[in-house]
Amino acid sequence: MSLVLKNLQRVVRIRRVPLRKKIEILRSILGVQKFDLGVICVDNKNIQHINRIYREKNVPTDVLSFPFHENLKAGEIPQPDFPDDYNLGDIFLGVEYIFQQCKENEDYYDILTVTATHGLCHLLGFTHDTETEWQKMFQKEKQVLEELNRHTGTRLQPLSRGLF
């Protein structure tokens, strides 16, 4: 199914073709390429607004995920009954925030890919509210990124590596 990648900001330059290619590989690795997915790139002002409305946190952030299929167990692939249910949900990438948080030795596009991986895991029921949940999510991100690294020759690590 389709991947919609929208850039709704003008603060940070986005090369959509390489990002799209990596997200397509991630979808394949996760076994969800038959599901629609929206990835929306926004600036600090917009990600903060969304974060305030949905999480009651009035600060910018790196990623917000809105699953179409709620209440999935961690790693569960949705089992749609109808064609319209072949939708994973939407991921909002706070690209300005991500760019500002990048360290000197980090590649911005690599961090975007890792952040998108984190968002995809959230769409598949992974959370990190407890240490046990974080461990599951960390392991899944690590496994997915290791597979991506084999496909692309990169050396990406999970976003949530130092959370607990």
Side-chain angles (χ1 to χ4, degrees), residues 99-157:
F99 184 79
Q100 291 169 343
Q101 299 300 312
C102 274
K103 296 173 180 63
E104 281 183 35
N105 62 338
E106 293 177 320
D107 180 84
Y108 169 66
Y109 290 97
D110 285 348
I111 302 303
L112 272 183
T113 302
V114 171
T115 306
T117 303
H118 187 81
L120 273 165
C121 286
H122 277 305
L123 294 182
L124 293 174
F126 288 94
T127 62
H128 45 74
D129 297 328
T130 68
E131 187 169 356
T132 302
E133 291 172 343
W134 169 78
Q135 281 287 349
K136 278 186 186 175
M137 186 165 189
F138 177 82
Q139 289 305 320
K140 185 60 172 184
E141 285 183 32
K142 187 171 183 249
Q143 177 234 326
V144 169
L145 290 171
E146 284 172 354
E147 182 70 23
L148 179 68
N149 290 340
R150 281 193 284 282
H151 280 49
T152 61
T154 52
R155 296 175 59 192
L156 306 180
Q157 294 290 314

